[in-house]
Structure formats: structure tokens, C-alpha cells
Amino acid sequence: MNKVNKDIVILGIESSCDDTSIGISKNGTILTNIVSSQNIHQKYGGVVPELASREHQKNIIPTLSSALDDAKISLSEIDGIAFTKGPGLMGSLLVGSSFAKSLALSLNKPLIGINHMEAHVLANFIDNDIKLPCICLTASGGHTELVLVENINNMSIIGKTLDDSAGETFDKCAKIIGLPYPGGPQIEKYARNGNDKKFKFTIPRVDNLNFSFSGLKTNIIRLIEKEVSYNKDFIKDNLYDLCASIQNVIIETLIQKLELALTYFSIKTIAISGGVAANELFRKRIVEIEKVLKVDISIPQKEYSTDNGAMISIAGHYKYEMKEFSELSINIDPRHKIKTYKLKNK
Ligand code: KG4
Ligand code: ZN
């Protein structure tokens, strides 16, 4: 007897940076999304690559067990193994890819290599019905990209950071203030009670749809160092206002370019993704754009904005449907990129 309409169950393994995460989807619906975060990096003020890969090795099997338990799925029910091929840290990617390959080989199921940045964009499709084309702004610790999404397997970068990412700027400013890594949520926490107009930082001017955060970061750090040289308690005395002003200028930099991109392409749908998309001010500003510019917006749940296995699983689901499988000999690609769109001068 022929089996008809068999369920498609995809395991998604994410290990590109410092979170070991496994998600499981069934017919494109997420059943579970388990994330093991690595607190070990907090005291170093940033991710230490060697420690990250060692932690992934420790965490990956317990994370899989929790994901299978939570989804009430057995390994034999899985139809495909998706994993992050890149971009990311070499050692971290190797742990996830070797694990995915062993599972695919032992279960005799297809292996599906996923671009982490494409998966961030596709996280928007987990709970939302998005009208395409759309522009997705992905802002994470490693990347800040504006992506034109024509359909789920056709996306291109229309703008990106030329130096530091938005997340990195949060992290580096937090470090100088003395807040632990990751800095974004810390700055957000103190910003809630601060005056964002107290310190004036200038939004960087960059050509086209690109971003640059390194000059802004240097301005912020210089101001703090100068003020501390006059008053050693400057940070303590101004913590809330400092955090509010820093958060505001980073978020406004992102919002201005996003608005420019919408106009340039006459696009009516916005999506956001990446760790910085968990920021409440950023989300609030996106909702304001929805009202003012009369566009549709997609904001993923926070657990699908930061690095997570669910987005790898959903990206794997689409590739499974298109039968885009990878060979067991597939290599990781720490610099894996989405293709670039060539902007015409208008
Ligand atoms: O996407 P993600 O989890 O990992 C990478 O692929 O990098 O992003 C992590 C980045 C960190 O820089 C972190 O400080 C930032 O996202 N982040 C935030 C918030 N939550 C995480 N930045 C601002 N506000 C937040 N609530
Ligand atoms: Zn990421």
C-alpha cells in the first residue's frame, strides 16, 4: 500500500556561535526549540571560540535528548537532519556538522546544510504568514544585513555593515560600562529607566543601504573615557541615561536604513531577525513604521530571533520539500554568504 501525505519531521541543529540549539518541526510547525546557552563567556566580555566549541561538545547530546523528549518524537520518526553550515565560528560549526553527519549516516536520512543568515530570515515564517517580497533586517552579534526576500529560496543582500555589527556595538559599549556579555539585553534593562536624550551621539552617515558602527562605537567609548577622567563615578551616576542614549542611537541607525530600503525598493512588508530583534525599543519602532508607512510587519517571537535550532529546522523543511539535500562530504563554510544585490543608482 502506498503511503500518502506522510508527515515531514525535520531536526535542526544550530551551533554557529555560543548557543547549542536543536529544534524539531513537523510539516513546518515547530514542536520544540531547546537552547543551551554558554554562560562561560560572560566573564571574558565576548565569545571565546575554543571554549565555545568545547561547550558545544558537552551540550549537544543532552540538547538532542531534551528536544526529542519535549517534542515526543523518536529518532526513527525524523525524516531529515538540517544543520548550520555557516557563517560562524569554525570550531563551533564543526561540532554541529559532525554531529549532524553522524545522525544522518546512522539513521540513513538526508542531510541538509543551511546558511545561518538565511535561516534568521526564515525564522519569520515560523508563526507568520508573510506577504512577499519583503525586506528583512537581520541584526545579530556577527552580522547586520538588509535582505531582499523575493521568495523563500531567492534572497539577496541589499545592504550590510562595513565594519562592526549592531549587536557587537551593544556588546562593546556594555563592556566599557562594566556590564556582562551579552551586552544588548543588559543595556536594554538599564535603558528602561533612562533619558535617551541625555547624551547626544550622531547617527553614522554611510552610502547606499550599508551600515557602519565602528565610528559610533569609538565616539561612545571616547565620551565615557573622557567623562570618567573628570569623575570616576560618571558611569555609576549616569548608568540609566547612558544606556538609554546608546540604545537609542543604535536602534535609530537601523531604523533609518530600513526606511530608506523600503522607499528604494517600494516594498510593503518588513521582517526583522537576529539577537538585536529581541530589543523592545526596536520592536516598538517597527510597529510605528507599520502605522506611519502603512506596511505589513513580521516580528518573530524572541526565542526565534536569537540563535535557535527552530529556524534551522524550518529552513531544512523548505529544502526537504525541494529535495535540496547535501552530500555527507559537505564542508562547513565559516564565511558562508547570501548573494549580493547590485544596487542601481537611482
Ligand atoms: O543572533 P544572535 O543571538 O547571535 C548571533 O548570531 O550573533 O545575536 C546575539 C547579539 C548579541 O550581540 C546581543 O548583545 C544582541 O544580539 N542582543 C540584543 C538583545 N538581545 C540580544 N541587543 C539588544 N537588545 C536585546 N534585547
Ligand atoms: Zn545568528
Side-chain angles (χ1 to χ4, degrees):
M1 203 173 75
N2 283 338
K3 264 197 186 172
V4 275
N5 290 338
K6 188 197 168 302
D7 289 329
I8 302 175
V9 179
I10 304 292
L11 186 83
I13 302 171
E14 159 58 28
S15 73
S16 64
C17 189
D18 60 339
D19 288 320
T20 318
S21 180
I22 294 191
I24 301 177
S25 63
K26 187 176 189 174
N27 303 325
T29 300
I30 298 300
L31 300 180
T32 187
N33 181 42
I34 305 290
V35 184
S36 303
S37 296
Q38 303 181 356
N39 298 328
I40 194 160
H41 306 285
Q42 277 193 357
K43 58 175 176 278
Y44 300 100
V47 177
V48 183
E50 289 76 11
L51 294 180
S53 40
R54 226 178 292 158
E55 291 296 296
H56 282 304
Q57 277 172 337
K58 262 195 254 165
N59 293 342
I60 203 154
I61 292 177
T63 308
L64 175 64
S65 306
S66 306
L68 293 170
D69 283 355
D70 190 46
K72 300 189 178 47
I73 287 279
S74 66
L75 275 177
S76 61
E77 290 172 86
I78 286 169
D79 298 298
I81 318 286
F83 72 99
T84 303
K85 179 185 165 192
L89 300 171
M90 168 121 55
S92 296
L93 291 169
L94 276 172
V95 177
S97 73
S98 319
F99 191 64
K101 286 180 184 183
S102 336
L103 277 177
L105 191 65
S106 59
L107 300 173
N108 194 24
K109 297 292 175 188
L111 181 68
I112 311 167
I114 300 292
N115 179 322
H116 178 85
M117 299 312 292
E118 281 183 12
H120 266 305
V121 173
L122 294 174
N124 281 283
F125 291 72
I126 291 176
D127 292 327
N128 302 329
D129 225 355
I130 302 182
K131 282 191 208 137
L132 293 176
C134 82
I135 287 178
C136 181
L137 172 51
T138 307
S140 68
H143 299 84
T144 302
E145 290 179 357
L146 278 165
V147 179
L148 172 67
V149 187
E150 294 182 79
N151 58 57
I152 51 165
N153 53 1
N154 184 10
M155 39 181 110
S156 7
I157 294 182
I158 53 175
K160 64 175 191 313
T161 182
L162 304 176
D163 39 59
D164 292 349
S165 71
E168 213 174 342
T169 312
F170 271 111
D171 296 337
K172 289 182 175 163
C173 291
K175 192 172 176 184
I176 185 140
I177 293 175
L179 299 172
Y181 176 87
Q186 294 288 327
I187 290 194
E188 175 172 39
K189 185 171 91 186
Y190 293 105
R192 278 190 203 114
N193 300 314
N195 170 6
D196 62 12
K197 308 223 167 16
K198 174 82 181 278
F199 299 100
K200 297 249 176 307
F201 302 115
T202 315
I203 293 180
R205 284 180 188 274
V206 189
D207 283 350
N208 300 324
L209 298 174
N210 291 327
F211 302 88
S212 165
F213 285 98
S214 87
L216 174 64
K217 177 196 69 188
T218 309
N219 287 349
I220 297 171
I221 293 177
R222 287 232 178 96
L223 174 123
I224 297 175
E225 284 172 349
K226 192 173 117 213
E227 294 294 338
V228 167
S229 73
Y230 301 138
N231 166 16
K232 65 176 176 27
D233 291 330
F234 170 76
I235 293 177
K236 194 160 74 73
D237 295 348
N238 293 280
L239 182 62
Y240 299 99
D241 296 342
L242 208 44
C243 287
S245 304
I246 293 170
Q247 172 177 264
N248 190 56
V249 69
I250 298 174
I251 299 301
E252 285 313 312
T253 304
L254 294 173
I255 293 290
Q256 277 197 3
K257 281 287 162 149
L258 177 58
E259 287 180 335
L260 196 62
L262 289 177
T263 317
Y264 186 98
F265 286 95
S266 308
I267 293 244
K268 292 282 173 206
T269 313
I270 304 175
I272 58 171
S273 194
V276 180
N279 183 279
E280 286 302 333
L281 175 65
F282 187 38
R283 290 170 170 247
K284 198 176 120 217
R285 294 289 287 114
I286 296 291
V287 173
E288 282 168 14
I289 297 184
E290 175 188 30
K291 296 203 180 101
V292 175
L293 298 184
K294 311 248 176 315
V295 291
D296 289 322
I297 59 166
S298 161
I299 302 185
Q301 282 183 50
K302 284 188 186 175
E303 70 167 312
Y304 303 142
S305 302
T306 50
D307 284 353
N308 67 88
M311 70 184 194
I312 304 301
S313 155
I314 214 75
H317 175 84
Y318 293 130
K319 285 202 185 286
Y320 186 95
E321 283 187 320
M322 293 180 283
K323 299 208 175 350
E324 268 188 45
F325 302 137
S326 309
E327 299 291 333
L328 276 175
S329 57
I330 181 177
N331 281 327
I332 55 151
D333 181 357
R335 297 179 159 272
H336 203 19
K337 286 191 179 69
I338 297 179
K339 69 176 186 297
T340 304
Y341 184 100
K342 223 167 160 13
L343 291 181
K344 291 178 207 80
N345 286 328
K346 276 195 171 174

